[in-house]
């Protein structure tokens, strides 16, 4: 298996854990590739595993966000991100990610698995309609849906399963139906994550009235006077009443614990919500829709992303699928113009890390750039096509919006290689249509390579923290300084589409139990919060503007330790990275 293919596998393995980067280099932390070399992760040093997110180059939204009536999803919440200098990438929508953004967790379920009474996965296709609901079952076929999987941190308690049509649902693993409390169309299901995931088997369905429109509503509710406050029998509301999720799920789409955890960020990068890496979307008719059975297999609809941004008064960072045609871009821009609050801004980025050779979008850009004779060098042709298509997209948005005051036009580049920045900023008309240069200056990835395996495995947490603070972090700060000079020379802002620590093994080291235990311990050590404070202070002092951390929630493991939180309701006192991010917001009102 080639190194690049191995890194692709790692990347998607990490996506199973909410990935940002899959690889890192065996090269020295400071070693950027030769200017005319392909930027595969194997060649690119610490920046080579970065996964795109950008920040804000503009001012705070100034409109009054009003007050919230509790559960009306059309109303903005009391603003908690005024002056915040930070954004976040949102975790990918997957059944195994211990974040619960939606009250209806079926939206996060895995795609249907065909099985039988004797076989878990028999490989047969499942007959589904355009929205993903099962229309019919073959003889002996069972369609399985997995939710709340592979983690013991998902909320336990009584879930309500609502459905239309006629058929039979059965529950296994950590889920069991309370038959006495259930009725047709409404199952009461007790769930214990300690006993396994939430397994739902559709074992029969009436082809003339198929069982469909399944909603799996979480336990608890929301306070009527505060949509950021979760409530249940053990956590009553202070003044308002506790409204059951079953009663308000249609309007209280987002879980209040999720809302409260992301409310301080000025910007939300939706790269993983949009399933940007390797996206096959090209025409507007094939986009994700609110009526889709689930949002885990095709991406989250733009309608939901806009609703979340509007509620939280957060700017929206949108990653355009690399195959999207001009009509797709025009329709998307039109929806954002008409539905995102006019006091909020849209960050526009063509795909994600088009410079990074491990992603399908990089190969596509290389092919298109060579076919158009943009350069005879593969990597330069790739970057030139990224720049060209970015500008085409920017121009469509400019035309749809009629101005640029609501737009932040983002050109992303490789943090460790400022040559990539000059290439994308200086090609064609990029200079006249770009507002921000975005990088992802992670620190620590060089420590996960095979050449460092013996040295790192002999370290304790104290030695690793010293290595991070005295070597890898200063290297990343040097990249920031160099990239700030490029941005200044081209009259654009420097922002971070992603960033944070990058402790992950690669090319076999990810299976080293000793190093994984060391990286896990360092990630949870209070001194990691101190490193983040030093890191973010340097970002500010070197000229960076908004910084979008990667990522919101992810459990630590062999494919990385990306989450600021390990699970949605983790105590802040147990989450040093999240605590450092919140403290930085408090101490550093936006300085640009």
């Amino acid at each position: 298996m080639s190194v690049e293919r191995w890194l692709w596998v790692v990347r998607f393995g990490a996506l199973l854990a909410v990935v940002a980067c899959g690889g890192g280099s065996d090269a020295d932390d400071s070693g950027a590739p030769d200017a005319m070399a392909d930027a595969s992760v194997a060649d690119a040093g610490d920046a080579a595993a970065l996964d795109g997110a950008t920040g804000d180059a503009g001012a705070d939204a100034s409109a009054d966000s009003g007050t919230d009536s509790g559960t009306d999803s059309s109303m903005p919440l009391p603003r908690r991100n005024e002056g915040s200098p930070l954004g976040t990438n949102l975790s990918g929508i997957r059944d195994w990610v211990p974040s619960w953004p939606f009250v209806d967790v079926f939206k996060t379920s895995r795609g249907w698995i065909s099985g039988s009474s004797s076989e878990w996965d028999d490989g047969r296709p499942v007959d589904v309609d355009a929205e993903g609901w099962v229309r019919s079952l073959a003889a002996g076929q069972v369609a399985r849906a997995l939710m709340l999987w592979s983690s013991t941190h998902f909320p336990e308690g009584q879930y309500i399963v609502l459905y239309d049509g006629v058929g039979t649902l059965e529950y296994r693993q950590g889920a069991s139906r309370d038959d006495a409390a259930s009725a047709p169309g409404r199952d009461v299901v007790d769930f214990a994550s300690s006993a396994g995931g939430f397994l739902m088997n559709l074992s029969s369905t009436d082809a003339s009235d198929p069982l469909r429109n399944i909603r799996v509503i979480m336990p608890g509710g929301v306070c009527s006077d505060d949509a950021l406050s979760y409530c249940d029998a053990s956590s009553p509301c202070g003044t308002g009443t506790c409204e059951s999720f079953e009663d308000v799920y249609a309007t209280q789409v987002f879980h209040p614990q999720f809302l409260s955890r992301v409310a301080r960020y000025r910007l939300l990068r939706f790269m993983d919500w949009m399933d940007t890496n390797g996206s096959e979307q090209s025409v507007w008719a094939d986009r994700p829709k609110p009526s889709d059975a689930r949002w885990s297999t095709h991406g989250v609809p733009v309608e939901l992303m806009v609703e979340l941004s509007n509620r939280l008064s957060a700017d929206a960072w949108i990653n355009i699928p690399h195959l999207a045609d001009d009509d797709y871009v025009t329709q998307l821009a039109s929806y954002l113009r008409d539905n995102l609050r006019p006091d909020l801004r849209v960050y526009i980025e063509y795909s994600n890390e088009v410079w990074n050779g491990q992603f399908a979008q990089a190969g596509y850009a290389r092919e298109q750039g060579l076919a158009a004779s943009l350069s005879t060098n593969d990597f330069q042709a790739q970057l030139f096509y990224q720049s060209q298509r970015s500008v085409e997209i920017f121009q469509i948005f400019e035309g749809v919006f009629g101005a640029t005051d609501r737009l932040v036009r983002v050109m992303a580049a490789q943090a460790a290689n400022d040559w990539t920045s000059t290439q994308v900023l200086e090609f064609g008309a990029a200079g006249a249509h770009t507002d921000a240069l975005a990088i992802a200056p992670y620190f620590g990835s060089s420590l996960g390579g095979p050449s460092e395996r013996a040295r790192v495995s002999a370290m304790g947490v104290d030695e690793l923290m010293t290595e991070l603070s005295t070597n890898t972090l200063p290297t990343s700060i040097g990249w920031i300084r160099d990239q700030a000079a490029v941005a200044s020379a081209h009259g654009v802002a420097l922002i971070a589409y992603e960033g944070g620590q990058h402790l992950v093994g690669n090319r076999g080291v990810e299976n080293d139990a000793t190093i994984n235990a060391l990286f896990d311990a360092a990630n949870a050590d209070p001194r990691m919060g101190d490193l983040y404070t030093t890191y973010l202070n340097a970002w500010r002092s070197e000229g960076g503007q908004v910084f979008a951390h990667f990522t919101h929630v992810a459990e630590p493991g062999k494919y990385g330790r990306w989450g600021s939180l390990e699970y949605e309701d983790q105590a802040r006192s147990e989450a040093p990275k999240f605590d450092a991010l919140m403290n930085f917001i408090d101490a550093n009102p936006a300085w640009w």
Side-chain angles (χ1 to χ4, degrees):
M1 179 181 291
S2 69
V3 170
E4 184 170 295
R5 176 60 180 162
W6 183 90
L7 289 165
W8 176 258
V9 171
V10 167
R11 186 59 163 239
F12 275 89
L15 179 58
L16 306 187
V18 192
V19 58
C21 327
S25 169
D26 196 21
D28 182 84
D29 223 60
S30 62
D34 291 337
M36 301 295 281
D38 183 13
S40 71
V41 174
D43 295 330
D46 210 0
L50 316 184
D51 216 341
T54 235
D56 177 35
D60 289 335
S62 58
D64 182 7
S65 63
T67 58
D68 181 51
S69 60
T71 57
D72 181 358
S73 63
S74 66
M75 295 290 292
L77 303 174
R79 188 164 193 172
R80 298 192 180 183
N81 62 357
E82 192 74 44
S84 172
L86 300 183
T88 188
N89 283 259
L90 295 181
S91 309
I93 304 302
R94 296 293 188 269
D95 60 270
W96 56 82
V97 177
S99 173
W100 36 95
F102 310 120
V103 168
D104 175 7
V105 297
F106 194 84
K107 293 301 185 184
T108 70
S109 63
R110 200 173 307 187
W112 296 110
I113 299 171
S114 172
S116 67
S117 60
S118 60
E119 195 169 2
W120 169 257
D121 182 355
D122 60 21
R124 288 183 287 178
V126 178
D127 177 30
V128 298
D129 64 18
E131 295 178 346
W133 302 114
V134 176
R135 291 185 297 197
S136 64
L137 292 169
Q141 186 177 37
V142 174
R144 312 186 195 281
L146 281 58
M147 291 155 275
L148 314 177
W149 210 254
S150 299
S151 174
T152 60
H153 292 296
F154 289 113
E156 299 188 335
Q158 194 172 84
Y159 286 68
I160 304 299
V161 178
L162 306 174
Y163 60 89
D164 301 331
V166 178
T168 304
L169 291 175
E170 300 169 347
Y171 304 91
R172 299 287 187 272
Q173 298 289 315
S176 60
R177 178 170 47 211
D178 183 335
D179 292 333
S182 300
R186 181 181 184 272
D187 286 346
V188 178
V189 179
D190 296 315
F191 173 66
S193 61
S194 57
F198 193 118
L199 171 59
M200 172 189 290
N201 289 333
L202 176 61
S203 57
S204 72
T205 192
D206 186 338
S208 64
D209 187 16
L211 193 149
R212 62 196 182 279
N213 193 23
I214 301 170
R215 290 139 287 161
V216 180
I217 308 304
M218 297 187 74
V222 60
C223 293
S224 60
D225 60 347
D226 183 2
L228 293 176
S229 292
Y230 172 79
C231 56
D232 58 21
S234 62
S235 303
C237 300
T239 56
T241 59
C242 186
E243 298 180 328
S244 166
F245 287 144
E246 183 181 4
D247 294 333
V248 300
Y249 72 87
T251 54
Q252 181 71 30
V253 176
F254 302 107
H255 198 289
Q257 289 177 328
F258 165 75
L259 290 174
S260 67
R261 281 302 172 88
V262 299
R264 301 290 309 283
Y265 297 111
R266 70 177 295 135
L267 174 150
L268 302 174
R269 188 170 185 255
F270 291 108
M271 185 270 294
D272 274 335
W273 271 33
M274 299 182 73
D275 276 349
T276 301
N277 293 323
S279 174
E280 297 180 354
Q281 291 180 48
S282 60
V283 298
W284 186 242
D286 291 339
R287 72 191 185 282
K289 301 176 181 65
S291 59
D292 289 346
R294 51 178 59 86
W295 300 327
S296 59
T297 58
H298 193 46
V300 177
V302 64
E303 291 87 347
L304 272 294
M305 296 186 287
V306 167
E307 180 177 331
L308 180 61
S309 289
N310 284 344
R311 295 217 82 190
L312 294 177
S313 302
D315 292 338
W317 189 314
I318 303 297
N319 296 79
I320 309 298
H322 69 281
L323 299 177
D325 63 20
D326 286 354
D327 177 70
Y328 185 113
V329 177
T330 301
Q331 298 290 345
L332 176 60
S334 298
Y335 186 86
L336 291 164
R337 177 199 62 198
D338 296 341
N339 293 280
L340 186 70
R341 278 172 33 195
D343 58 315
L344 301 177
R345 308 181 83 187
V346 183
Y347 287 69
I348 317 157
E349 179 187 6
Y350 175 52
S351 189
N352 171 64
E353 289 195 353
V354 181
W355 57 264
N356 193 335
Q358 69 172 332
F359 293 127
Q361 55 264 32
Y364 175 81
R366 183 183 308 117
E367 292 169 0
Q368 296 298 309
L370 291 171
S373 299
L374 302 183
S375 174
T376 57
N377 175 270
D378 287 4
F379 187 38
Q380 189 175 55
Q382 176 181 325
L383 295 175
F384 283 173
Y385 182 78
Q386 173 197 344
S387 181
Q388 175 179 283
R389 185 56 182 154
S390 294
V391 169
E392 292 169 354
I393 290 168
F394 297 160
Q395 290 175 320
I396 291 172
F397 269 79
E398 292 162 11
V400 169
F401 276 74
T404 60
D405 57 303
R406 294 179 61 193
L407 305 176
V408 179
R409 298 160 295 177
V410 177
M411 199 72 77
Q414 182 183 6
N417 183 357
D418 59 8
W419 177 85
T420 64
S421 302
T422 62
Q423 296 304 291
V424 295
L425 288 173
E426 294 179 0
F427 181 76
H433 295 276
T434 302
D435 300 305
L437 170 66
I439 61 170
Y442 287 99
F443 64 91
S445 74
S446 64
L447 300 177
S451 68
E452 291 278 30
R453 185 172 187 170
R455 186 173 76 94
V456 173
S457 63
M459 292 180 181
V461 175
D462 291 346
E463 290 85 358
L464 178 57
M465 286 298 180
T466 299
E467 178 72 19
L468 290 170
S469 63
T470 60
N471 290 319
T472 65
L473 184 54
T475 295
S476 296
I477 293 170
W479 299 340
I480 295 167
R481 184 178 303 119
D482 293 343
Q483 295 282 12
V486 173
S488 178
H490 291 81
V492 298
L494 179 66
I495 62 179
Y497 64 81
E498 290 176 16
Q501 60 74 38
H502 195 291
L503 294 176
V504 58
N506 62 80
R507 284 167 288 163
V509 181
E510 76 280 2
N511 296 314
D512 188 309
T514 298
I515 289 180
N516 277 323
L518 174 65
F519 286 175
D520 285 346
N523 182 63
D525 192 284
R527 289 171 290 182
M528 182 59 74
D530 298 334
L531 283 174
Y532 263 53
T533 300
T534 300
Y535 177 53
L536 293 170
N537 284 335
W539 171 258
R540 173 177 180 168
S541 65
E542 295 295 343
Q545 295 188 9
V546 71
F547 184 104
H549 182 261
F550 190 92
T551 189
H552 172 48
V553 171
E555 285 192 297
K558 63 186 287 186
Y559 294 116
R561 293 140 189 93
W562 312 112
S564 64
L565 294 164
E566 296 181 10
Y567 49 93
E568 195 73 76
D569 59 352
Q570 184 181 23
R572 178 169 167 175
S573 60
E574 299 174 1
K577 293 185 294 185
F578 181 78
D579 184 58
L581 293 170
M582 295 302 104
N583 287 337
F584 187 80
I585 290 172
D586 291 337
N588 294 273
W591 53 86
W592 58 92

